Amino acid sequence: MDNRLTIPLPPRWVNSAEFEQALGAAGSPHESHAGHVGFFFPAGCKVLIDVAVRLLSLANQLDAAAKQVRLTFEEGESGVQGYLNRMGFFDCLAEGIQVRPRRPKVSGARVYRGANEGLVEIARINENSRYEDLPAKMADVVSHACRAREDVSGLVGAAWTIFAELIDNVFSHSRTRLALSKNGWVQAAWGLTFRKSSLPAMRKKAMSMV
């Protein structure tokens, strides 16, 4: 029986549906008996931020399940690895996970944090330390993305309400057995993408929380 499972991603922009397809084609890394799980990023491969967050969560889960995990980037930091480094992916990646050709020595997120109004870096939420300004930072991205809209003020308020509620739920449920990771941290990664069609739903959801 092969003790290795390799999940190759396609050499193009990868959305969440294509990421799930790649997982399905290779086989579930959670259900597999393979002790070694690898993700391969070929030249030309780029991932949307929701895929980055899913990958981060999955890789850390596999590491916590005592599987050996390796991420291989064919283009190194000149490709998608550099993009992931800028958003703080490797800051939140479990130390036991192997990165090829090498894990970045310098965190792009730490160097340039806050310099891009259209980007909210991935944040690791620790149950013992609240990030009170995180909802505001994420709402600021909504403000930047929707600044030409007449209803931008209402959208920003709706976004703040939604993000604050989501983050508060992490803390509210962080002491359940299923929520705690093996090292006692509650891990959550937040990425932010928009479609104009999602804005009315965002406002409606926020109103239902009030």
Side-chain angles (χ1 to χ4, degrees):
M1 180 181 297
D2 191 354
N3 193 39
R4 295 180 180 275
L5 176 66
T6 300
I7 302 169
L9 298 180
R12 58 177 181 274
W13 277 103
V14 180
N15 59 29
S16 58
E18 290 178 310
F19 181 64
E20 295 297 334
Q21 290 173 3
L23 292 176
S28 170
H30 277 300
E31 298 177 358
S32 172
H33 293 292
H36 299 257
V37 179
F39 295 88
F40 179 71
F41 300 81
C45 177
K46 296 177 175 60
V47 299
L48 296 177
I49 192 168
D50 57 333
V51 175
V53 171
R54 288 169 187 245
L55 173 65
L56 176 62
S57 176
L58 176 57
N60 284 347
Q61 289 172 24
L62 294 172
D63 178 75
K67 291 181 181 285
Q68 294 187 29
V69 183
R70 174 181 293 182
L71 309 182
T72 302
F73 299 91
E74 189 172 38
E75 294 180 298
E77 291 199 64
S78 64
V80 67
Q81 184 183 5
Y83 169 67
L84 293 176
N85 184 29
R86 172 62 186 87
M87 70 170 65
F89 180 92
F90 298 101
D91 298 344
C92 301
L93 189 68
E95 293 183 2
I97 296 176
Q98 299 179 17
V99 178
R100 296 290 184 271
R102 66 189 61 83
R103 187 181 285 249
K105 294 182 178 180
V106 178
S107 168
R110 293 178 183 174
V111 173
Y112 301 107
R113 185 173 300 277
N116 186 340
E117 293 182 343
L119 172 70
V120 174
E121 289 84 0
I122 295 173
R124 185 182 189 187
I125 299 179
N126 178 357
E127 64 170 333
N128 297 315
S129 178
R130 283 181 177 265
Y131 294 91
E132 301 291 351
D133 61 341
L134 188 55
K137 287 183 177 180
M138 300 179 80
D140 285 344
V141 176
V142 176
S143 176
H144 176 76
C146 305
R147 58 186 180 277
R149 293 176 60 104
E150 294 182 358
D151 58 348
V152 62
S153 178
L155 291 173
V156 170
W160 188 95
T161 300
I162 291 173
F163 296 137
E165 180 72 14
L166 288 172
I167 294 170
D168 186 67
N169 282 342
V170 173
F171 289 99
S172 297
H173 302 289
S174 65
R175 294 192 178 279
T176 62
R177 289 186 61 189
L178 293 179
L180 286 173
S181 66
K182 66 178 182 178
N183 60 0
W185 283 63
V186 178
Q187 299 178 26
W190 301 89
L192 192 58
T193 55
F194 291 104
R195 292 190 183 93
K196 289 185 178 179
S197 60
S198 69
L199 296 176
M202 178 185 292
R203 187 188 297 108
K204 183 178 180 181
K205 178 66 175 177
M207 290 301 297
S208 69
M209 292 178 175
V210 177

